Amino acid sequence: MRRTGNKARAAAALALATWCALATATASAERADRDKPVDIESDSMIADEAKKVATFDGKVVLTQGSLIIRADRIVVQQDNDGFQRGVATGNPARFRHKREGLGEYIDGEALRIEYDTGADRVEFFKGARLRRDSGDDIRGDYISYDARTERFTVKASNDASGSGREGRVRAIIMPKKPAPQTPASPGTGRQD
């Protein structure tokens, strides 16, 4: 006979493995995070071991190293090949992650964030936005990031809500600061 606690631990492990994959799906993510433990807090969790699905509800906070995901609900599912797919929803769902080798963070948000570890893809739906500490900011109704090709796709909504911004993607890309130049040493200047 299995104990309920074992089922909860198995479902939590499935969910944790899925979110670990999100860290690997973003090529610029901090690699050291992959080896760190995943911690999920929520108001409730329902697990269906037969379907390999775990649902976390209510102020869900997932952390793994520098990765932080906040959502109203996170649903994770594992397929027969061991790949995981997850959906985080919120008003909005948010994430924050440190870029590899840099002191810079990437922040993202959308009403729904979906990821697929088999395809190495993360998608943001409805009110999607990605920002970097450098000031770069991308907005659209849909943003997709393919980690295999390191390619972003951003699409705007076709909703005619009368906001004046229908069908538009917005990107702010800050100029890169030049590397500081070292002053010339005395005696290395021009000789006449």
CSV table of all heavy atoms in Angstrom, one decimal, residues 134 174-182:
chain,number,residue,atom,x,y,z
A,134,SER,N,19.7,45.8,-18.5
A,134,SER,CA,20.3,46.9,-19.4
A,134,SER,C,19.3,47.9,-19.9
A,134,SER,O,19.7,48.9,-20.4
A,134,SER,CB,21.0,46.2,-20.6
A,134,SER,OG,20.0,45.6,-21.4
A,174,MET,N,18.5,49.3,-25.8
A,174,MET,CA,19.4,50.3,-25.4
A,174,MET,C,20.7,50.2,-26.1
A,174,MET,O,21.2,49.1,-26.4
A,174,MET,CB,19.6,50.2,-23.9
A,174,MET,CG,18.3,50.3,-23.1
A,174,MET,SD,17.4,51.8,-23.3
A,174,MET,CE,18.5,52.9,-22.5
A,175,PRO,N,21.4,51.3,-26.3
A,175,PRO,CA,22.7,51.3,-26.9
A,175,PRO,C,23.7,50.6,-26.0
A,175,PRO,O,23.6,50.8,-24.7
A,175,PRO,CB,23.1,52.7,-27.2
A,175,PRO,CG,22.1,53.5,-26.4
A,175,PRO,CD,20.9,52.7,-26.1
A,176,LYS,N,24.6,49.8,-26.5
A,176,LYS,CA,25.6,49.2,-25.7
A,176,LYS,C,26.6,50.2,-25.3
A,176,LYS,O,27.1,51.0,-26.1
A,176,LYS,CB,26.2,48.0,-26.4
A,176,LYS,CG,25.3,47.0,-26.9
A,176,LYS,CD,24.5,46.4,-25.7
A,176,LYS,CE,23.5,45.3,-26.2
A,176,LYS,NZ,22.2,45.4,-25.7
A,177,LYS,N,27.1,50.2,-24.0
A,177,LYS,CA,28.1,51.1,-23.6
A,177,LYS,C,29.4,50.6,-24.0
A,177,LYS,O,29.8,49.5,-23.9
A,177,LYS,CB,28.0,51.2,-22.1
A,177,LYS,CG,26.7,51.8,-21.6
A,177,LYS,CD,26.7,52.0,-20.1
A,177,LYS,CE,25.4,52.7,-19.8
A,177,LYS,NZ,24.9,52.4,-18.5
A,178,PRO,N,30.2,51.5,-24.6
A,178,PRO,CA,31.6,51.1,-25.1
A,178,PRO,C,32.4,50.7,-23.9
A,178,PRO,O,32.3,51.2,-22.7
A,178,PRO,CB,32.1,52.4,-25.7
A,178,PRO,CG,31.3,53.5,-25.2
A,178,PRO,CD,30.0,52.9,-24.8
A,179,ALA,N,33.4,49.8,-24.1
A,179,ALA,CA,34.3,49.4,-23.1
A,179,ALA,C,35.2,50.6,-22.7
A,179,ALA,O,35.6,51.3,-23.6
A,179,ALA,CB,35.1,48.2,-23.6
A,180,PRO,N,35.5,50.7,-21.4
A,180,PRO,CA,36.4,51.8,-21.1
A,180,PRO,C,37.8,51.7,-21.7
A,180,PRO,O,38.3,50.6,-21.8
A,180,PRO,CB,36.5,51.7,-19.5
A,180,PRO,CG,35.9,50.4,-19.2
A,180,PRO,CD,35.1,49.9,-20.3
A,181,GLN,N,38.3,52.8,-22.2
A,181,GLN,CA,39.6,52.8,-22.8
A,181,GLN,C,40.6,53.2,-21.8
A,181,GLN,O,40.4,54.0,-20.9
A,181,GLN,CB,39.6,53.8,-23.9
A,181,GLN,CG,38.7,53.5,-25.1
A,181,GLN,CD,38.8,54.5,-26.2
A,181,GLN,OE1,39.5,55.5,-26.1
A,181,GLN,NE2,38.1,54.2,-27.3
A,182,THR,N,41.8,52.5,-21.9
A,182,THR,CA,42.8,52.8,-20.9
A,182,THR,C,43.7,53.9,-21.5
A,182,THR,O,44.0,53.9,-22.7
A,182,THR,CB,43.7,51.5,-20.7
A,182,THR,OG1,44.2,51.1,-21.9
A,182,THR,CG2,42.9,50.4,-20.0
